[in-house]
Amino acid sequence: MVKLMEIPEEEYIFPGTRACAGCSMALIYRIALKAMGPKTIITVPASCLTVLHGMQGFCTTKVSVLHTPFATTGASASGIVASLEDKGLADDVNVLAFAGDGGTVDIGIQSLSGAVERGTNFIYACYDNEAYMNTGVQRSGSTPPGAYSTTTPNGKTGYKKNMAKILEAHGIPYVATAISSYPLDLYEKFKNAQKIQGPKYIHILAPCPPGWGYNPKDSIEIGRLAVQTGFWPLYEVIEGKFILSKDSQRFIDPAKRKPIVEYLNIQKRFKDISDEYIEQYKSYIEAQWKEIERRIKNE
Ligand SMILES: Cc1ncc(C[n+]2csc(CCOP(=O)(O)OP(=O)(O)O)c2C)c(N)n1
Ligand SMILES: [Mg+2]
């Protein structure tokens, strides 16, 4: 795994962004941009990430960012790549799409699917704070069961879409999951993705203090618990081969996993979660790891 000293000191985000205190999306973006380097063009739809960039006339990043309508991130990335190809610059410049869960798993899914199917050479990163946070915490297809949001006041019913699997089913050469609390793993995944030609997808869980209801100082700890309880496994699928990431490997042993309630109980959005839902989380985690074990054995 990459070492801390290998992470470039150069920052691509200027200090004083408009992100909330403890925002893990801002941390994810900071690390991803270090991995991407200066020759990168980013496309971003409406989201908290738009807000991070500042008011019109200002830009928080040292690299170029195109703000695109909510549903169009994938299409806009294809357009940027086509224009770079036209100018003979495509081998020299990275194209990065960066979108929230609402903009990815719901409203932007057709555009992303199309870009991927066209074979666009880009990285699409979804930072998943599990709701439409920028507009006041409305539920998305990525909100987990039992979570309070302003549109699910009694807790979300149903399930969380597994977007990494949906992208894997497109047959693309690189899919990964990551989280803000394991920054070296996150950095390495952006580096690994860059080495591969074609569409690459990274789905990153992004704890959100106001949306999830916890003290901003706990962002890193909550993200660690997502991994340590087995809820959020870190992995890569490279050319169809499943690789469990180092930071998740010990949780293949159920005895090493922390109880899921440790993750749920420190978030206000799960304050009224029923025992039935807690049992559902336990079975989900168990089934998820059985599948991971099967995949590791078969490959
Ligand atoms: C077509 C369209 N519909 C609705 C909006 C309003 N809107 C802006 S950001 C946003 C929420 C985005 O949610 P998500 O993609 O999860 O990103 P987050 O805000 O959580 O970072 C919404 C609904 C919009 N800008 N355009
Ligand atoms: Mg969101």
Side-chain angles (χ1 to χ4, degrees), residues 46-49 70 100-104 107 127 129 131-135:
S47 56
C48 291
L49 187 51
F70 209 3
D101 52 297
T104 302
I107 192 162
Y127 69 92
N129 52 24
Y132 293 77
M133 294 307 182
N134 173 46
T135 40

Side-chain angles (χ1 to χ4, degrees), residues 145 159 165 229-233 254 257-261 264 273-294:
Y159 63 96
K165 273 192 176 172
T229 53
F231 173 72
W232 192 251
R257 284 176 223 149
K258 292 190 173 169
I260 187 64
V261 286
L264 303 175
I273 194 167
S274 63
D275 290 345
E276 197 187 313
Y277 267 117
I278 293 175
E279 287 311 309
Q280 205 176 301
Y281 270 91
K282 288 182 190 162
S283 344
Y284 168 80
I285 290 169
E286 216 176 292
Q288 166 165 264
W289 282 91
K290 286 224 165 82
E291 189 184 330
I292 290 174
E293 250 179 85
R294 266 199 311 276

Side-chain angles (χ1 to χ4, degrees), residues 2-150:
V2 67
K3 302 214 166 41
L4 188 58
M5 60 209 264
E6 291 171 50
I7 310 259
E9 279 187 23
E10 170 100 29
E11 299 288 349
Y12 295 96
I13 305 180
F14 294 111
T17 76
R18 297 172 86 222
C20 300
C23 174
S24 58
M25 172 270 282
L27 182 59
I28 291 163
Y29 199 44
R30 180 179 170 213
I31 293 160
L33 295 198
K34 280 174 183 270
M36 297 302 295
K39 287 191 172 176
T40 301
I41 297 176
I42 308 167
T43 176
V44 173
S47 56
C48 291
L49 187 51
T50 330
V51 176
L52 174 140
H53 287 102
M55 306 286 272
Q56 189 179 4
F58 296 89
C59 189
T60 302
T61 56
K62 286 188 197 163
V63 291
S64 297
V65 179
L66 176 78
H67 289 279
T68 192
F70 209 3
T72 63
T73 317
S76 105
S78 285
I80 296 168
V81 171
S83 127
L84 289 169
E85 279 167 0
D86 192 51
K87 291 182 184 335
L89 295 169
D91 292 338
D92 210 29
V93 181
N94 302 309
V95 176
L96 173 66
F98 225 101
D101 52 297
T104 302
V105 315
D106 298 333
I107 192 162
I109 194 168
Q110 47 77 19
S111 176
L112 166 59
S113 178
V116 159
E117 186 269 333
R118 282 189 292 276
T120 300
N121 182 30
F122 77 134
I123 299 177
Y124 189 110
C126 170
Y127 69 92
D128 182 4
N129 52 24
E130 300 189 316
Y132 293 77
M133 294 307 182
N134 173 46
T135 40
V137 198
Q138 293 86 20
R139 60 85 93 185
S140 78
S142 206
T143 303
Y148 166 90
S149 72
T150 49

